[in-house]
Amino acid sequence: MTRVLSLTTVLLLTGIGFAADPPKVNDLAMEDQYETKHSVADHKGKVLILVFGDREGIDASRQLGSQLHVLFHPSAEGKTAKEARTAPVDPLPGVEKGKPSPDVTVVPVACCGKVPGAIQGLVRGALKKDAADVPVWLDFGNTMKDKFGLTGGEPNLVVIDAQGRLRLKVNGMPDKETLQKVLQTTQNLRAEAAGLK
């Protein structure tokens, strides 16, 4: 059931829904485990994929995020998290030689819910150990769930274009067809950012 809903969500957002006038989400901002502030606006000019999930979906979200990163940064395969973050993006067909291709940034978001400050400190501490080399945005306000919906125990994702507009969302683990839609949409948005579309 979740997979059917995921595909339906994808089609609504990229096709009939708001493709002509996608909503801006530039104001979406959170801190990571090191209390560094991050926002969608920081990624202007890049395609941004936020992979988010609750505590029960953390392992599946981590796996999906890594898979997506490697798809757009193939030389990251088999490297440590720190090394993988610096892997170059795969060149986009049609971009002039010598010009950079628009990048794709995959960001993990931990949906922690509204918890007291002491618990927030414990969450930050755990992530400093478990994900020391990868900034994880921490959602302590149910922001992702309220803005985009959330399927518990599974990864969820949104794709945001180079102008900070929501272009695609998937709630729940994407099946093969839905994942292909994510990849194609992301490549199309890269081409749009490069002025090829």
Side-chain angles (χ1 to χ4, degrees):
M1 182 68 162
T2 299
R3 292 185 177 160
V4 173
L5 290 175
S6 296
L7 183 56
T8 303
T9 301
V10 169
L11 294 174
L12 284 172
L13 294 176
T14 59
I16 302 163
F18 49 70
D21 189 20
K24 290 194 175 195
V25 291
N26 280 323
D27 61 339
L28 182 64
M30 293 174 207
E31 290 185 349
D32 66 19
Q33 67 268 43
Y34 297 103
E35 299 186 56
T36 302
K37 293 182 181 178
H38 300 273
S39 74
V40 168
D42 297 337
H43 296 273
K44 187 172 182 178
K46 301 176 183 179
V47 178
L48 181 63
I49 302 176
L50 302 179
V51 179
F52 59 102
D54 58 14
R55 185 176 179 174
E56 291 75 26
I58 196 165
D59 290 335
S61 296
R62 182 180 292 147
Q63 185 177 13
L64 178 60
S66 295
Q67 179 186 3
L68 288 169
H69 180 74
V70 168
L71 286 171
F72 296 104
H73 306 83
S75 65
E77 179 131 32
K79 294 188 176 175
T80 66
K82 188 175 185 177
E83 294 169 334
R85 288 185 61 214
T86 62
V89 70
D90 204 27
L92 185 65
V95 172
E96 263 182 60
K97 191 174 182 177
K99 287 192 172 182
S101 291
D103 204 349
V104 178
T105 303
V106 180
V107 174
V109 181
C111 299
C112 307
K114 296 179 180 180
V115 295
I119 302 297
Q120 291 181 21
L122 291 173
V123 171
R124 289 180 197 279
L127 283 170
K128 285 176 188 176
K129 291 178 185 174
D130 294 345
D133 297 317
V134 177
V136 178
W137 293 14
L138 301 174
D139 181 3
F140 289 122
N142 288 329
T143 303
M144 300 302 287
K145 182 179 181 180
D146 294 344
K147 273 189 176 287
F148 309 116
L150 181 139
T151 298
E154 297 187 37
N156 300 263
L157 68 87
V158 291
V159 180
I160 299 167
D161 70 18
Q163 300 301 314
R165 298 172 297 184
L166 176 63
R167 300 297 286 269
L168 177 98
K169 80 169 182 168
V170 178
N171 294 119
M173 177 66 83
D175 58 17
K176 187 176 179 181
E177 187 177 352
T178 303
L179 187 58
Q180 184 57 45
K181 184 70 175 175
V182 172
L183 301 181
Q184 188 59 59
T185 298
T186 303
Q187 286 294 79
N188 289 345
L189 295 177
R190 292 180 72 207
E192 184 181 286
L196 302 175
K197 286 198 169 209

Short mmCIF file of all heavy atoms in Angstrom, two decimals, residues 11-21:
data_model
loop_
_atom_site.label_atom_id
_atom_site.label_comp_id
_atom_site.label_asym_id
_atom_site.label_seq_id
_atom_site.Cartn_x
_atom_site.Cartn_y
_atom_site.Cartn_z
N LEU A 11 3.62 11.44 -8.71
CA LEU A 11 2.94 11.91 -9.91
C LEU A 11 2.19 13.21 -9.66
O LEU A 11 2.19 14.10 -10.49
CB LEU A 11 1.99 10.83 -10.42
CG LEU A 11 2.68 9.55 -10.92
CD1 LEU A 11 1.64 8.50 -11.27
CD2 LEU A 11 3.56 9.84 -12.11
N LEU A 12 1.56 13.33 -8.50
CA LEU A 12 0.82 14.56 -8.21
C LEU A 12 1.73 15.78 -8.16
O LEU A 12 1.39 16.84 -8.65
CB LEU A 12 0.08 14.43 -6.88
CG LEU A 12 -1.18 13.58 -6.90
CD1 LEU A 12 -1.69 13.39 -5.47
CD2 LEU A 12 -2.24 14.23 -7.75
N LEU A 13 2.90 15.64 -7.57
CA LEU A 13 3.77 16.80 -7.39
C LEU A 13 4.53 17.18 -8.64
O LEU A 13 4.83 18.33 -8.85
CB LEU A 13 4.75 16.54 -6.24
CG LEU A 13 4.09 16.42 -4.87
CD1 LEU A 13 5.11 16.07 -3.83
CD2 LEU A 13 3.39 17.70 -4.49
N THR A 14 4.85 16.22 -9.46
CA THR A 14 5.65 16.55 -10.63
C THR A 14 4.81 16.72 -11.89
O THR A 14 5.25 17.31 -12.84
CB THR A 14 6.72 15.47 -10.90
OG1 THR A 14 6.05 14.22 -11.09
CG2 THR A 14 7.69 15.38 -9.76
N GLY A 15 3.61 16.22 -11.88
CA GLY A 15 2.80 16.30 -13.08
C GLY A 15 1.71 17.34 -12.98
O GLY A 15 1.90 18.52 -13.23
N ILE A 16 0.55 16.92 -12.53
CA ILE A 16 -0.63 17.78 -12.53
C ILE A 16 -0.60 18.81 -11.42
O ILE A 16 -0.98 19.94 -11.61
CB ILE A 16 -1.88 16.89 -12.39
CG1 ILE A 16 -1.92 15.88 -13.52
CG2 ILE A 16 -3.14 17.72 -12.34
CD1 ILE A 16 -2.84 14.73 -13.29
N GLY A 17 -0.15 18.42 -10.23
CA GLY A 17 -0.20 19.24 -9.03
C GLY A 17 0.26 20.67 -9.18
O GLY A 17 -0.45 21.52 -9.66
N PHE A 18 1.50 20.96 -8.78
CA PHE A 18 1.96 22.34 -8.81
C PHE A 18 3.21 22.52 -9.65
O PHE A 18 4.03 23.38 -9.40
CB PHE A 18 2.18 22.88 -7.40
CG PHE A 18 3.00 22.00 -6.50
CD1 PHE A 18 4.35 21.81 -6.70
CD2 PHE A 18 2.39 21.37 -5.44
CE1 PHE A 18 5.08 21.02 -5.85
CE2 PHE A 18 3.12 20.57 -4.58
CZ PHE A 18 4.47 20.39 -4.79
N ALA A 19 3.37 21.71 -10.71
CA ALA A 19 4.55 21.79 -11.55
C ALA A 19 4.70 23.19 -12.16
O ALA A 19 5.80 23.68 -12.35
CB ALA A 19 4.51 20.74 -12.64
N ALA A 20 3.58 23.84 -12.50
CA ALA A 20 3.65 25.17 -13.11
C ALA A 20 4.10 26.24 -12.12
O ALA A 20 4.74 27.20 -12.48
CB ALA A 20 2.29 25.53 -13.70
N ASP A 21 3.77 26.08 -10.86
CA ASP A 21 4.11 27.06 -9.85
C ASP A 21 4.46 26.36 -8.54
O ASP A 21 3.70 26.42 -7.57
CB ASP A 21 2.94 28.03 -9.66
CG ASP A 21 3.33 29.22 -8.78
OD1 ASP A 21 4.53 29.49 -8.64
OD2 ASP A 21 2.41 29.85 -8.22
#
